[in-house]
Amino acid sequence: MSTHGGTKAIIAALAANLGIAVTKFVAFLLTASSSMLAESVHSLADSGNQALLLLGGKKARRGADEKHPFGYGRERYIYAFIVSIVLFTVGGLFALYEAYHKFHDPHPIDAWKWVPVVVLVAAIAMESYSFRTAIHESNAVRGKKTWVQFVRTAKAPELPVVLLEDLGALIGLVLALFGVGLTLITGDGRWDAAGTACIGILLVLIAIVLALETKSLLLGESATKEDVAAIEAALVGPGVPSVIHVKTLHLGPEELLVAAKIEVDVRSGAPEIADAIDAAEARVRAAVPIATRIYLEPDLRDRDVRVSAAPGRDH
């Protein structure tokens, strides 16, 4: 993965979730708490998701070939979309099913009553560390954007995915603690089921947000407004009086395709136009380094000038 911060956040989340999943499942075996089972499956799904993000980052580093001339950068978007599906099915739907089952067969926590509380408090501490790491790494790249804007506009999917997963995990742990705690106090297992249902709804909502955002990336998003403005400014220079239009497309988080129609002087010959295009490409790459593919089409802005300058016309 090209972004060290994203990799660091993923590894921190993976380590935390593997440890949490084991302790939650042990707690479920001792107490038969549905909230603990839903949370253990949730942490297991999150661990699998982080592994998928790492795999997607590795596959995306492959170079371009004949079959994929623009490379494999979008692999990261595909694996992020798979993460949303896993979170929806394995995490959310399983928790809702378990809640439904527990509502119809409620039972209190009779043995090892202190175990789920201790496990959940410890899990909150570990998940908080993972969430803190994701926030720290995100702050390094989000600039002045709000958190909502960062999640909505980030071209690299890993940090937004880890942020939402960690946030969902923390809220889910609080909900599980709420359900388990009220079950221990009242002896009514339906509180445990209610906590499980809330966890399921939460995971489904987060999965839907992730799916919508990664779907937009898969369809192909343009560069940010700031990058587009920088590209347009860089294109103008000797031999290029103005830009007629620019189209951009992210081939991956750090790979940008730029296609533009630029104005050239009607009096310029082919060598001058070629030199102007080469210079414009160099300026764009200097201004926006992620512009790895640049295609420029020379044209005349004024149609009347173009017609009057055509060969064989009387002047």
Side-chain angles (χ1 to χ4, degrees):
M1 193 171 304
S2 56
T3 52
H4 173 71
T7 305
K8 183 177 179 180
I10 294 171
I11 293 174
L14 177 60
N17 281 313
L18 284 174
I20 292 170
V22 173
T23 54
K24 287 176 181 174
F25 191 69
V26 171
F28 161 71
L29 293 177
L30 294 174
T31 64
S33 166
S34 65
S35 290
M36 296 308 302
L37 178 60
E39 275 297 304
S40 63
V41 172
H42 175 195
S43 294
L44 187 62
D46 280 354
S47 300
N49 288 342
Q50 274 104 50
L52 286 172
L53 291 176
L54 290 172
L55 178 62
K58 181 179 179 181
K59 286 182 171 292
R61 289 197 296 266
R62 289 180 294 173
D65 54 34
E66 185 176 353
K67 190 173 182 180
H68 297 90
F70 291 113
Y72 292 82
R74 288 196 182 183
E75 289 264 19
R76 289 165 69 177
Y77 300 152
I78 293 172
Y79 279 86
F81 188 76
I82 294 173
V83 163
S84 68
I85 297 173
V86 172
L87 193 63
F88 180 83
T89 54
V90 178
L93 295 187
F94 177 82
L96 291 174
Y97 166 78
E98 184 62 23
Y100 174 82
H101 176 73
K102 189 64 179 283
F103 267 120
H104 287 77
D105 184 24
H107 52 80
I109 300 174
D110 296 322
W112 300 91
K113 294 183 178 182
W114 56 271
V115 169
V117 175
V118 172
V119 167
L120 289 171
V121 171
I124 289 174
M126 287 187 283
E127 200 67 62
S128 296
Y129 173 76
S130 173
F131 190 41
R132 178 180 174 275
T133 302
I135 290 175
H136 176 74
E137 300 303 330
S138 298
N139 280 334
V141 295
R142 75 182 178 99
K144 297 182 180 179
K145 295 177 182 176
T146 65
W147 286 109
V148 173
Q149 290 172 335
F150 175 67
V151 171
R152 294 291 306 273
T153 61
K155 305 304 180 184
E158 292 83 9
L159 282 174
V161 168
V162 173
L163 277 169
L164 287 176
E165 280 191 345
D166 285 351
L167 177 62
L170 278 172
I171 297 174
L173 287 167
V174 173
L175 293 172
L177 190 60
F178 170 81
V180 168
L182 286 178
T183 297
L184 291 172
I185 293 171
T186 64
D188 188 348
R190 286 176 293 184
W191 286 112
D192 192 18
T196 307
C198 290
I199 293 169
I201 293 171
L202 172 70
L203 294 180
V204 167
L205 292 176
I206 291 176
I208 291 172
V209 171
L210 286 176
L212 291 175
E213 293 306 316
T214 51
K215 179 190 119 177
S216 178
L217 292 169
L218 278 171
L219 288 174
E221 288 189 355
S222 64
T224 63
K225 292 180 180 179
E226 295 79 8
D227 281 348
V228 171
I231 289 168
E232 290 178 343
L235 285 172
V236 177
V240 183
S242 67
V243 178
I244 299 173
H245 67 73
V246 175
K247 304 292 182 184
T248 61
L249 178 69
H250 267 275
L251 303 173
E254 287 87 29
E255 296 177 90
L256 186 65
L257 170 67
V258 177
K261 182 174 285 190
I262 55 176
E263 179 189 5
V264 295
D265 192 325
V266 67
R267 295 163 297 183
S268 298
E272 290 83 1
I273 293 175
D275 289 341
I277 289 175
D278 290 342
E281 290 179 354
R283 292 193 300 271
V284 169
R285 290 192 173 94
V288 183
I290 64 171
T292 55
R293 304 284 193 280
I294 302 175
Y295 299 96
L296 303 181
E297 178 186 353
D299 204 347
L300 301 177
R301 181 176 289 277
D302 192 329
R303 181 179 295 272
D304 294 334
V305 172
R306 192 186 325 181
V307 171
S308 64
R313 303 283 296 185
D314 294 331
H315 299 288

